[in-house]
Short mmCIF file of all heavy atoms in Angstrom, two decimals:
data_model
loop_
_atom_site.label_atom_id
_atom_site.label_comp_id
_atom_site.label_asym_id
_atom_site.label_seq_id
_atom_site.Cartn_x
_atom_site.Cartn_y
_atom_site.Cartn_z
N ARG A 17 -13.54 -20.72 49.84
CA ARG A 17 -13.25 -21.79 50.83
C ARG A 17 -12.63 -21.11 52.00
O ARG A 17 -11.58 -20.38 51.97
CB ARG A 17 -12.35 -22.87 50.18
CG ARG A 17 -12.18 -24.03 50.98
CD ARG A 17 -11.45 -25.21 50.18
NE ARG A 17 -11.28 -24.94 48.76
CZ ARG A 17 -10.07 -24.60 48.26
NH1 ARG A 17 -8.97 -24.47 49.05
NH2 ARG A 17 -9.95 -24.26 46.95
N PRO A 18 -13.13 -21.48 53.28
CA PRO A 18 -12.57 -20.94 54.47
C PRO A 18 -11.06 -21.31 54.70
O PRO A 18 -10.67 -22.45 54.46
CB PRO A 18 -13.46 -21.54 55.60
CG PRO A 18 -14.67 -21.86 54.89
CD PRO A 18 -14.30 -22.24 53.51
N GLY A 19 -10.24 -20.25 54.99
CA GLY A 19 -8.84 -20.49 55.26
C GLY A 19 -7.95 -20.71 54.11
O GLY A 19 -6.75 -21.05 54.33
N ALA A 20 -8.50 -20.71 52.91
CA ALA A 20 -7.59 -21.02 51.73
C ALA A 20 -6.74 -19.89 51.23
O ALA A 20 -5.94 -20.00 50.36
CB ALA A 20 -8.53 -21.54 50.58
N GLY A 21 -6.91 -18.64 51.76
CA GLY A 21 -6.19 -17.50 51.33
C GLY A 21 -5.11 -17.09 52.33
O GLY A 21 -4.87 -17.73 53.34
N SER A 22 -4.30 -16.15 51.83
CA SER A 22 -3.18 -15.59 52.63
C SER A 22 -2.96 -14.10 52.39
O SER A 22 -3.52 -13.59 51.36
CB SER A 22 -1.76 -16.39 52.19
OG SER A 22 -1.91 -17.75 52.40
N LEU A 23 -2.17 -13.51 53.15
CA LEU A 23 -1.78 -12.15 52.92
C LEU A 23 -0.29 -12.17 52.66
O LEU A 23 0.61 -12.72 53.47
CB LEU A 23 -2.03 -11.31 54.17
CG LEU A 23 -1.73 -9.83 54.10
CD1 LEU A 23 -2.43 -9.07 52.95
CD2 LEU A 23 -1.83 -9.06 55.39
N HIS A 24 0.16 -11.54 51.51
CA HIS A 24 1.56 -11.62 51.04
C HIS A 24 2.16 -10.22 51.05
O HIS A 24 1.48 -9.21 50.87
CB HIS A 24 1.64 -12.16 49.61
CG HIS A 24 0.86 -13.53 49.50
ND1 HIS A 24 1.47 -14.74 49.78
CD2 HIS A 24 -0.43 -13.82 49.17
CE1 HIS A 24 0.62 -15.69 49.58
NE2 HIS A 24 -0.56 -15.19 49.18
N ARG A 25 3.50 -10.11 51.17
CA ARG A 25 4.14 -8.93 51.02
C ARG A 25 5.26 -8.94 49.99
O ARG A 25 6.00 -10.01 49.86
CB ARG A 25 4.94 -8.59 52.39
CG ARG A 25 5.55 -7.13 52.40
CD ARG A 25 6.24 -6.93 53.64
NE ARG A 25 7.54 -7.73 53.66
CZ ARG A 25 8.00 -8.39 54.73
NH1 ARG A 25 7.31 -8.21 55.86
NH2 ARG A 25 9.05 -9.06 54.64
N LEU A 26 5.29 -8.01 49.07
CA LEU A 26 6.28 -7.87 48.00
C LEU A 26 7.31 -6.75 48.40
O LEU A 26 6.86 -5.55 48.62
CB LEU A 26 5.71 -7.56 46.66
CG LEU A 26 6.57 -7.21 45.59
CD1 LEU A 26 7.50 -8.40 45.21
CD2 LEU A 26 5.79 -6.73 44.32
N ASP A 27 8.51 -7.08 48.69
CA ASP A 27 9.61 -6.18 49.04
C ASP A 27 10.15 -5.53 47.83
O ASP A 27 10.14 -5.99 46.74
CB ASP A 27 10.62 -6.77 49.90
CG ASP A 27 10.17 -7.28 51.24
OD1 ASP A 27 9.16 -6.56 51.81
OD2 ASP A 27 10.64 -8.28 51.73
N PRO A 28 10.76 -4.30 48.05
CA PRO A 28 11.42 -3.64 46.90
C PRO A 28 12.47 -4.34 46.14
O PRO A 28 12.70 -4.15 44.95
CB PRO A 28 12.03 -2.38 47.55
CG PRO A 28 11.14 -2.08 48.74
CD PRO A 28 10.83 -3.49 49.28
N ASP A 29 13.10 -5.36 46.87
CA ASP A 29 14.15 -6.26 46.12
C ASP A 29 13.44 -7.34 45.31
O ASP A 29 14.17 -8.14 44.66
CB ASP A 29 15.08 -6.74 47.16
CG ASP A 29 14.55 -7.80 48.12
OD1 ASP A 29 13.29 -8.13 47.97
OD2 ASP A 29 15.23 -8.30 49.00
N GLY A 30 12.13 -7.44 45.26
CA GLY A 30 11.44 -8.42 44.48
C GLY A 30 11.10 -9.68 45.23
O GLY A 30 10.39 -10.58 44.80
N SER A 31 11.53 -9.83 46.47
CA SER A 31 11.23 -11.00 47.23
C SER A 31 9.87 -10.86 47.84
O SER A 31 9.28 -9.82 47.94
CB SER A 31 12.25 -11.18 48.39
OG SER A 31 12.16 -10.07 49.28
N THR A 32 9.27 -12.12 48.06
CA THR A 32 7.88 -12.08 48.61
C THR A 32 7.91 -12.95 49.95
O THR A 32 8.72 -13.84 50.10
CB THR A 32 6.92 -12.82 47.68
OG1 THR A 32 7.33 -14.11 47.36
CG2 THR A 32 6.78 -11.89 46.30
N THR A 33 7.02 -12.52 50.83
CA THR A 33 6.81 -13.14 52.08
C THR A 33 5.35 -13.38 52.36
O THR A 33 4.55 -12.45 52.00
CB THR A 33 7.49 -12.28 53.30
OG1 THR A 33 8.76 -12.07 52.91
CG2 THR A 33 7.38 -12.99 54.57
N THR A 34 4.99 -14.60 52.78
CA THR A 34 3.66 -14.71 53.29
C THR A 34 3.58 -14.31 54.77
O THR A 34 4.30 -14.84 55.59
CB THR A 34 3.13 -16.23 53.25
OG1 THR A 34 3.23 -16.59 51.80
CG2 THR A 34 1.80 -16.39 53.68
N VAL A 35 2.71 -13.29 55.05
CA VAL A 35 2.71 -12.68 56.46
C VAL A 35 1.46 -13.25 57.23
O VAL A 35 1.46 -13.02 58.39
CB VAL A 35 2.78 -11.21 56.39
CG1 VAL A 35 4.07 -10.68 55.80
CG2 VAL A 35 1.58 -10.53 55.57
N LEU A 36 0.56 -13.82 56.55
CA LEU A 36 -0.67 -14.27 57.25
C LEU A 36 -1.31 -15.32 56.42
O LEU A 36 -1.57 -15.18 55.26
CB LEU A 36 -1.68 -13.08 57.51
CG LEU A 36 -2.91 -13.36 58.24
CD1 LEU A 36 -2.56 -13.67 59.70
CD2 LEU A 36 -3.83 -12.00 58.23
N ASP A 37 -1.50 -16.60 57.10
CA ASP A 37 -2.15 -17.64 56.46
C ASP A 37 -3.54 -17.90 57.08
O ASP A 37 -3.89 -17.21 58.08
CB ASP A 37 -1.38 -18.94 56.70
CG ASP A 37 -0.22 -19.13 55.82
OD1 ASP A 37 -0.35 -18.76 54.66
OD2 ASP A 37 0.83 -19.70 56.36
N GLY A 38 -4.38 -18.80 56.51
CA GLY A 38 -5.61 -19.06 57.09
C GLY A 38 -6.71 -18.04 56.80
O GLY A 38 -7.66 -17.92 57.52
N VAL A 39 -6.51 -17.16 55.78
CA VAL A 39 -7.45 -16.15 55.53
C VAL A 39 -8.54 -16.74 54.52
O VAL A 39 -8.32 -17.51 53.66
CB VAL A 39 -6.73 -14.99 54.73
CG1 VAL A 39 -7.62 -13.92 54.25
CG2 VAL A 39 -5.68 -14.39 55.79
N THR A 40 -9.78 -16.28 54.66
CA THR A 40 -10.94 -16.69 53.80
C THR A 40 -10.98 -15.70 52.62
O THR A 40 -10.91 -16.07 51.47
CB THR A 40 -12.18 -16.81 54.53
OG1 THR A 40 -11.88 -17.82 55.60
CG2 THR A 40 -13.30 -17.35 53.62
N ILE A 41 -11.41 -14.43 52.88
CA ILE A 41 -11.55 -13.40 51.84
C ILE A 41 -10.76 -12.22 52.28
O ILE A 41 -11.19 -11.33 52.99
CB ILE A 41 -13.00 -13.03 51.53
CG1 ILE A 41 -13.80 -14.25 51.11
CG2 ILE A 41 -13.08 -12.10 50.48
CD1 ILE A 41 -15.32 -14.02 51.03
#
């Protein structure tokens, strides 16, 4: 589905951040 994905980052302290939304594949 277009735009349903994201790019995420996992930091060494275990926290996560979404760095890019609206990704397809």
Side-chain angles (χ1 to χ4, degrees):
R17 191 171 351 106
S22 300
L23 181 63
H24 308 274
R25 186 184 72 222
L26 172 64
D27 291 329
D29 67 4
S31 64
T32 60
T33 304
T34 300
V35 296
L36 187 60
D37 279 322
V39 172
T40 300
I41 302 175

